[in-house]
Amino acid sequence: MLGTPGKTCPECGCTVKRDSQWRRTRRRWKTASAALLASVFIAVGPFWKALLVLSVDYLPDTALIMLTGRISFDEPYPGYVFDNELRGRLQEGPDYCVSRWNRAAMWRWQWRLLAGRDEPEMAYLQQVAEVFAQPPPARQALVVTQEEMLALDHDATGTRVGALQERLQLPRDTFLVGYEDSLGVKWLDLKAADGAAARLYLISSMQLFALFALRREGDEWVFGGAYDIHSKYADPELRVLAEDETICELGSISTGGTGTWRGLASWCRVDDTGLRFVHGWATGGNEYWSNGPFNYEFSTAAPSVGRDERGMYVDHAITLTITNADVSWTLAQGDPADAAAVADLADVFQRAGVARYRWDDGDERFVLSESESAWTDVQVQGSFYDDTLFITQNFDTLVNLATGDDPARRAWVRLALTRLEESAAKRRLIQEIRLRPAH
């Protein structure tokens, strides 16, 4: 370029400001960007389903509406994760067995979009969306006179309660879709938080249950809110606490799936904001699976209510039994004699302790006081299979089993160690077993 006047290339027409720029490599940014995107697509393409599922928490509501019921994945990425995520966003409640639909969770145009989806798997969600796609009713509160209430008591004695629902004219915003053909009704009288009369109705239809409240104001009964109750195997029961006539216990709620079962109970009351759940706990259950380090069963005694200088508290005595009922233990790797010994061992050990709950003015409910309890917040909900927590809470028991004179118990600990996840607690346990001489 020394013989070329100026700073313009005679071949390509490129103009430079400095002579040093003549030695630069030409950069084709558009081509490089396209190549980069293509390489990323080739590398990530086989895993797009996994990435989509893993990012489901970050997907906007509109994207979930379009994905639910439309994309069906094979294991281990099932398409129902979108349906579960959407339902979780549209419902509110104290736990997964007690919830209600929330109109304010989405804009009306999003409810209309959901209602317009034509997918058989989404029929139930579409029914709910059709209600919320319409403008809210002009009258949100239900009012029933005392005379009407007496008439409703008479109607409710029938086997079908269609007349009851028709006369109550429950607001659709707070009442579950699908109860048009109800099969039964229970009701219970109690006191509201301010001492006024209140009543709870439990309407059932197959495995669907709805609990709603009425609160008396003068000569009228005003609607006090409603929740859906999801109980898989049993009909919920209602009773008023003898210790506090403003609290109703909702019991015999059950849920579960393959290899697992949970019994649940809740306390609720009616105050000036409506129906409010103030306490919940797992009454019992079990967990059996083939890949875990152990199987367990647990039971919770009836709650004990007391008072001290800090106020009212509720105690739950929980008993946990670690068991080898799963036959997969006999197939675990190791010496055949150990496997046979473990197969003959019914229960390894039990652990018992009390979970104490105290009233929290901020949350307006009973919350677990872990400093006064033998169990954590996760465990009182029925989940005892955290490996590190299991070792920490049962450290001495495991060491004694591993160094005792019972060969079946020693074999159980050896097999448990092969399945417990690697952790500092597990390494400390192994070290302690090695240091302690056998009995």
Side-chain angles (χ1 to χ4, degrees):
M1 302 299 293
L2 295 177
T4 302
K7 297 185 181 295
T8 301
C9 177
E11 294 183 6
C12 66
C14 177
T15 300
V16 298
K17 295 181 180 181
R18 297 179 301 276
D19 288 340
S20 61
Q21 292 180 296
W22 291 121
R23 292 183 289 274
R24 286 178 53 189
T25 302
R26 181 176 297 178
R27 291 155 171 87
R28 296 175 173 83
W29 295 110
K30 293 182 179 179
T31 304
S33 300
L36 179 61
L37 288 175
S39 62
V40 170
F41 179 80
I42 293 173
V44 179
F47 308 103
W48 72 273
K49 294 179 180 179
L51 292 174
L52 194 58
V53 170
L54 292 174
S55 62
V56 66
D57 293 343
Y58 305 99
L59 290 175
D61 294 340
T62 305
L64 274 179
I65 293 173
M66 301 309 296
L67 290 171
T68 299
R70 184 162 291 171
I71 294 182
S72 178
F73 295 158
D74 295 329
E75 295 289 352
Y77 307 114
Y80 60 74
V81 294
F82 302 111
D83 178 270
N84 289 346
E85 176 67 20
L86 184 59
R87 287 171 181 259
R89 295 185 188 183
L90 301 183
Q91 292 180 312
E92 59 180 4
D95 56 55
Y96 57 89
C97 282
V98 179
S99 62
R100 60 185 174 191
W101 299 101
N102 181 13
R103 174 188 284 270
M106 293 197 306
W107 300 97
R108 272 183 59 196
W109 66 268
Q110 290 176 310
W111 286 111
R112 288 196 295 268
L113 180 64
L114 180 58
R117 291 290 311 281
D118 187 17
E119 299 289 343
E121 298 84 357
M122 297 178 60
Y124 183 72
L125 267 178
Q126 286 174 288
Q127 292 182 56
V128 177
E130 288 171 358
V131 174
F132 293 123
Q134 305 301 319
R139 189 182 73 168
Q140 289 288 336
L142 169 72
V143 177
V144 180
T145 65
Q146 176 65 11
E147 289 76 16
E148 289 175 322
M149 178 64 78
L150 295 175
L152 291 174
D153 289 349
H154 177 74
D155 289 342
T157 58
T159 56
R160 302 184 67 84
V161 293
L164 172 66
Q165 291 177 249
E166 181 179 354
R167 295 185 66 172
L168 285 178
Q169 296 179 353
L170 293 169
R172 300 291 283 180
D173 275 21
T174 50
F175 197 56
L176 177 64
V177 176
Y179 285 87
E180 288 77 8
D181 296 320
S182 296
L183 301 179
V185 62
K186 303 174 185 177
W187 75 88
L188 177 146
D189 292 315
L190 70 162
K191 290 183 179 180
D194 59 1
R199 174 172 291 187
L200 294 178
Y201 281 94
L202 181 66
I203 290 182
S204 61
S205 178
M206 303 301 288
Q207 290 184 0
L208 301 175
F209 304 90
L211 181 72
F212 69 92
L214 295 178
R215 179 169 50 87
R216 186 169 182 177
E217 295 183 357
D219 194 44
E220 295 179 335
W221 291 79
V222 179
F223 179 68
Y227 279 91
D228 304 328
I229 311 298
H230 309 277
S231 184
K232 197 167 184 179
Y233 305 112
D235 291 351
E237 296 290 339
L238 300 174
R239 76 176 184 92
V240 177
L241 294 189
E243 300 86 352
D244 190 336
E245 294 183 353
T246 69
I247 295 180
C248 172
E249 181 174 307
L250 176 68
S252 300
I253 303 173
S254 59
T255 183
T258 303
T260 181
W261 170 80
R262 293 287 182 278
L264 303 171
S266 298
W267 284 358
C268 59
R269 69 192 310 179
V270 181
D271 57 23
D272 54 355
T273 63
L275 179 60
R276 181 190 298 275
F277 279 81
V278 298
H279 185 35
W281 69 95
T283 60
N286 56 48
E287 191 87 38
Y288 299 116
W289 71 102
S290 59
N291 295 322
F294 53 85
N295 305 306
Y296 66 82
E297 299 174 355
F298 74 97
S299 61
T300 305
S304 173
V305 181
R307 289 185 179 274
D308 58 16
E309 64 280 0
R310 296 177 55 186
M312 184 177 179
Y313 63 84
V314 182
D315 283 347
H316 295 277
I318 302 174
T319 301
L320 171 69
T321 300
I322 303 299
T323 175
N324 294 320
D326 190 347
V327 296
S328 66
W329 276 94
T330 62
L331 305 178
Q333 62 183 14
D335 188 273
D338 291 344
V342 172
D344 294 334
L345 183 63
D347 297 333
V348 176
F349 64 90
Q350 288 187 338
R351 180 170 178 265
V354 173
R356 173 162 292 186
Y357 293 78
R358 289 191 178 274
W359 181 260
D360 186 288
D361 291 329
D363 292 339
E364 295 185 318
R365 62 179 290 130
F366 290 96
V367 298
L368 181 69
S369 176
E370 291 201 12
S371 63
E372 301 178 89
S373 303
W375 309 97
T376 67
D377 187 57
V378 173
Q379 290 178 318
V380 295
Q381 299 175 38
S383 298
F384 298 91
Y385 48 79
D386 181 283
D387 288 0
T388 299
L389 196 60
F390 168 72
I391 295 174
T392 302
Q393 292 183 334
N394 304 285
F395 190 88
D396 291 338
T397 301
L398 290 170
V399 173
N400 292 334
L401 290 174
T403 57
D405 56 2
D406 190 322
R409 282 160 168 72
R410 293 199 301 269
W412 183 89
V413 175
R414 283 197 294 273
L415 288 177
L417 288 173
T418 65
R419 294 189 174 189
L420 288 166
E421 295 180 353
E422 292 299 325
S423 64
K426 178 179 175 179
R427 290 190 293 271
R428 190 166 66 90
L429 174 64
I430 294 175
Q431 183 180 11
E432 182 66 23
I433 292 174
R434 289 173 175 172
L435 292 175
R436 184 176 299 186
H439 295 173

